[in-house]
């Protein structure tokens, strides 16, 4: 698909479309939608900014590429003065006191936020069912889950309610819902975009990333959000990715895939067959393809959730109703903390907090947590060796198609295993993009650290081949 951002930009500049009408159209569509993608709309804020864009155009002033473009924000990002609920009962009345760096950069570029989007509470889930706002319905089939945890963001883009959305990816939370809904979703190299103002889930793998309908729109949004931020010491200076650089469809000479992913008994036969068709197409077009060895899915999922639960237990320990959140009074301070957290956290959040506290506790930390850290290092080393042999690693996004709404809530372990093909790349802190080609839930393109350009290049290659 062509760039929606560039198309709308041209329409605005040619006065074929007013920004106010564009924004109002998106707000109306979001208000009427039945997919449970909306936590809160931002009509006053958005229409005021749209009027400013129309005034500039009327006066003959130039506007930036993103200026006037309506976008959505996963409801785990701070936007000053708006509700930021994390789709949780605990924070359902919380208003942001400041704005996240990545969102502020988009505002500075003139983009217009129209909605805070539904998601799994605090990012805890892979289906966007763990939310007080109702389960997000899949854009293709409303009986299926929208994916998670950035389900509302992916569905809004797929249905055209937003031009692009900003999700958050910890273990696949952008890539998996993008695959479920047939759009592009990028987890950039860890640190390329500041995490300041993103509610922390697992700080060592949390990433800010865009969801859109084209590679070009991913590039445009990524460039605006990227860069060093003094408020996030894990962020780094990133070179801007040019349009010309990602149009080199011959840049990738070799592609690897993990044979244990494809040979697994857990993979859906149709996803496996469609992936192998893609492999054959690459070979027919003189791209070298190599089968690679990797850690088994159970090890990847166990390592990821060990570390992620430990980090979320630590990060969410501050939420006790004292400084923010829906406080429930009890007979003592300790009891008040306990009741506030037990009544306001979702079952999935409580499961992860309890699990995290256990692996960090005396007697378990050496046996479980430290082993998880060692395995993460081994996974990162494995990737370093792989990228000496190949330019890109290609994989299915998920081993199976989206489940029906309700099924994941009955079987949390199955939900965790649905992340088997995404969490490894998160542990490696690698740039990974979901593209809507190949199997039903798309393909996942991964490159070495800081090689985000190569990921976008190969996405364009696949568009020409598949």
């Amino acid at each position: 698909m062509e760039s929606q951002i560039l198309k709308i930009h041209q329409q605005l500049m040619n006065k074929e479309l007013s920004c106010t009408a564009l924004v109002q159209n998106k707000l109306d569509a979001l208000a009427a939608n039945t997919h449970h993608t909306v936590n809160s709309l931002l009509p006053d804020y958005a229409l005021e900014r749209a009027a400013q864009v129309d005034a500039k155009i009327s006066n003959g002033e130039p506007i930036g590429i993103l200026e006037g473009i309506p976008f959505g924000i996963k409801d785990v990002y701070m936007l000053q003065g708006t509700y930021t609920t994390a789709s949780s009962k605990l924070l359902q009345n919380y208003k942001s006191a400041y704005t996240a760096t990545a969102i502020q950069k988009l505002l500075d570029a003139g983009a217009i936020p129209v909605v805070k989007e539904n998601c799994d509470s605090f990012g805890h889930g892979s289906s966007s069912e763990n939310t007080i706002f109702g389960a997000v319905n899949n854009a293709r089939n409303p009986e299926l889950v929208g994916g998670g945890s950035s389900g509302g963001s992916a569905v809004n883009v797929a249905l055209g309610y937003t031009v692009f959305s900003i999700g958050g990816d910890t273990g696949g939370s952008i890539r998996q819902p993008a695959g479920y809904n047939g759009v592009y979703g990028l987890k950039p190299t860890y640190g390329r975009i500041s995490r300041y103002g993103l509610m922390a889930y697992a700080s060592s793998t949390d990433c800010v990333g865009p969801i859109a309908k084209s590679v070009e729109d991913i590039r445009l949004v990524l460039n605006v959000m990227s860069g060093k931020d003094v408020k996030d010491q894990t962020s780094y200076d990133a070179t801007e990715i040019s349009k010309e650089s990602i149009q080199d469809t011959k840049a990738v000479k070799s592609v690897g895939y993990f044979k244990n992913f494809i040979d697994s008994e857990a993979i859906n036969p149709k996803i496996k067959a469609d992936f192998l068709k893609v492999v054959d197409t690459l070979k027919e077009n003189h791209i070298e393809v190599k089968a690679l060895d990797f850690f088994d899915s159970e090890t990847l999922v166990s390592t990821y959730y060990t570390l992620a639960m430990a980090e979320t237990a630590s990060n969410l320990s501050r939420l006790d109703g004292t400084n923010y959140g829906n406080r429930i009074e009890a007979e003592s301070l300790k009891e008040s903390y306990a009741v506030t957290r037990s009544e306001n956290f979702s079952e999935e959040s409580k499961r992860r907090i309890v699990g995290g506290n256990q692996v960090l506790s005396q007697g378990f930390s050496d046996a479980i947590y430290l082993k998880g850290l060692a395995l993460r290092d081994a996974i990162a080393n494995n990737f370093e060796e792989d990228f000496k042999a190949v330019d890109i690693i290609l994989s299915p996004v998920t081993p199976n198609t989206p489940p029906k709404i309700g099924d994941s809530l009955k079987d949390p372990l199955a939900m965790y295993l649905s992340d088997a093909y995404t969490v490894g790349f998160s542990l490696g802190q690698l740039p990974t993009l979901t593209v809507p080609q190949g199997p039903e839930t798309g393909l996942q393109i991964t490159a070495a650290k800081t090689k985000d350009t190569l990921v976008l290049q190969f996405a364009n290659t696949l568009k020409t081949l598949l």
Side-chain angles (χ1 to χ4, degrees):
M1 178 177 284
E2 66 176 320
S3 167
Q4 296 296 293
I5 292 173
L6 294 177
K7 179 182 178 181
I8 293 171
H9 173 75
Q10 201 58 54
Q11 289 175 323
L12 291 172
M13 290 298 295
N14 292 342
K15 299 182 181 179
E16 299 169 10
L17 177 69
S18 78
C19 188
T20 298
L22 170 66
V23 168
Q24 188 63 62
N25 175 267
K26 299 300 184 187
L27 289 168
D28 290 344
L30 285 161
N33 102 86
T34 58
H35 285 71
H36 301 109
T37 62
V38 176
N39 286 4
S40 58
L41 292 176
L42 310 173
D44 295 339
Y45 187 89
L47 290 170
E48 180 182 348
R49 290 177 66 90
Q52 294 170 357
V53 174
D54 284 335
K56 287 183 69 173
I57 294 171
S58 179
N59 293 332
E61 299 175 46
I63 61 171
I65 294 297
L66 290 187
E67 202 159 353
I69 303 297
F71 74 100
I73 305 171
K74 182 179 180 179
D75 202 9
V76 291
Y77 288 96
M78 301 298 172
L79 176 60
Q80 188 173 19
T82 69
Y83 287 106
T84 302
T85 71
S87 293
S88 71
K89 187 177 179 182
L90 185 66
L91 296 178
Q92 65 184 114
N93 298 311
Y94 175 73
K95 282 192 174 182
S96 306
Y98 64 98
T99 298
T101 296
I103 304 303
Q104 187 60 56
K105 286 187 173 186
L106 292 169
L107 299 180
D108 293 344
I112 300 178
V114 292
V115 60
K116 301 296 284 292
E117 297 168 320
N118 200 1
C119 57
D120 283 302
S121 180
F122 295 104
H124 298 161
S126 304
S127 63
S128 291
E129 294 174 280
N130 298 299
T131 163
I132 63 169
F133 295 99
V136 175
N137 303 91
N138 190 283
R140 292 163 162 169
N141 181 350
E143 294 184 359
L144 306 180
V145 301
S149 60
S150 308
S153 302
V155 172
N156 278 340
V157 170
L159 294 176
Y161 298 151
T162 59
V163 178
F164 67 90
S165 287
I166 304 305
D169 193 306
T170 305
S173 292
I174 286 174
R175 291 163 285 154
Q176 184 247 47
Y180 278 3
N181 293 282
V183 292
Y184 291 87
L186 175 69
K187 183 197 84 66
T189 300
Y190 179 81
R192 185 183 180 95
I193 302 174
S194 171
R195 292 179 292 111
Y196 180 75
L198 164 64
M199 288 188 187
Y201 164 17
S203 303
S204 67
T205 56
D206 284 343
C207 286
V208 180
I211 300 172
K213 285 188 173 180
S214 71
V215 179
E216 178 62 8
D217 287 349
I218 292 288
R219 182 191 72 86
L220 289 169
V221 178
L222 176 65
N223 277 341
V224 168
M225 294 193 296
S226 297
K228 178 72 175 175
D229 178 16
V230 295
K231 297 173 182 175
D232 177 5
Q233 294 305 305
T234 64
S235 63
Y236 65 89
D237 286 322
T239 304
E240 184 171 292
I241 300 173
S242 69
K243 185 174 183 178
E244 293 72 26
S245 67
I246 67 168
Q247 291 175 335
D248 180 6
T249 57
K250 303 296 183 182
V252 172
K253 306 296 183 184
S254 58
V255 173
Y257 72 93
F258 296 133
K259 58 186 179 183
N260 59 303
F261 280 11
I262 306 307
D263 293 339
S264 169
E265 294 181 0
I267 192 171
N268 177 291
K270 182 70 164 56
I271 289 179
K272 177 178 180 177
D274 288 345
F275 181 81
L276 291 175
K277 285 180 184 177
V278 173
V279 169
D280 290 340
T281 299
L282 296 179
K283 292 176 179 177
E284 290 166 4
N285 284 273
H286 311 293
I287 296 175
E288 184 182 10
V289 179
K290 298 180 180 180
L292 304 171
D293 294 318
F294 198 47
F295 293 80
D296 63 80
S297 298
E298 290 79 7
T299 299
L300 294 171
V301 171
S302 298
T303 301
Y304 168 75
Y305 276 103
T306 293
L307 300 178
M309 287 183 178
E311 291 184 34
T312 202
S314 176
N315 282 324
L316 294 188
S317 63
R318 73 194 76 173
L319 296 179
D320 55 23
T322 300
N323 294 311
Y324 27 69
N326 295 327
R327 182 182 179 90
I328 300 175
E329 296 293 346
E331 292 184 3
S332 69
L333 182 62
K334 185 176 180 180
E335 288 179 8
S336 180
Y337 288 162
V339 174
T340 295
R341 289 167 66 82
S342 64
E343 293 296 321
N344 284 313
F345 279 127
S346 70
E347 291 303 309
E348 184 59 36
S349 291
K350 286 187 281 189
R351 187 178 294 117
R352 298 187 187 205
I353 291 169
V354 170
N357 283 328
Q358 181 174 4
V359 302
L360 290 173
S361 64
Q362 187 174 5
F364 287 95
S365 60
D366 288 351
I368 302 176
Y369 181 67
L370 294 183
K371 185 177 180 181
L373 291 176
L375 278 168
R376 182 172 65 183
D377 290 342
I379 289 166
N381 292 336
N382 197 116
F383 281 128
E384 286 186 14
E385 293 303 311
D386 287 339
F387 287 117
K388 292 176 183 177
V390 297
D391 300 322
I392 286 289
I393 294 173
L394 194 65
S395 63
V397 179
T398 61
N400 287 291
T401 54
K404 287 185 177 181
I405 289 175
D407 287 356
S408 295
L409 298 180
K410 299 173 189 173
D411 191 352
L413 179 58
M415 180 183 69
Y416 298 157
L417 290 173
S418 73
D419 297 333
Y421 295 173
T422 56
V423 294
F425 304 120
S426 295
L427 292 168
Q429 301 185 333
L430 306 175
T432 307
L433 174 71
T434 288
V435 301
Q437 287 87 30
E440 181 181 334
T441 56
L443 291 167
Q444 200 172 196
I445 303 169
T446 305
K449 280 186 182 180
T450 73
K451 300 292 185 181
D452 302 62
T453 301
L454 200 60
V455 167
L456 300 183
Q457 284 174 335
F458 194 60
N460 277 330
T461 299
L462 290 180
K463 279 171 54 183
T464 66
L465 297 180
L466 303 179

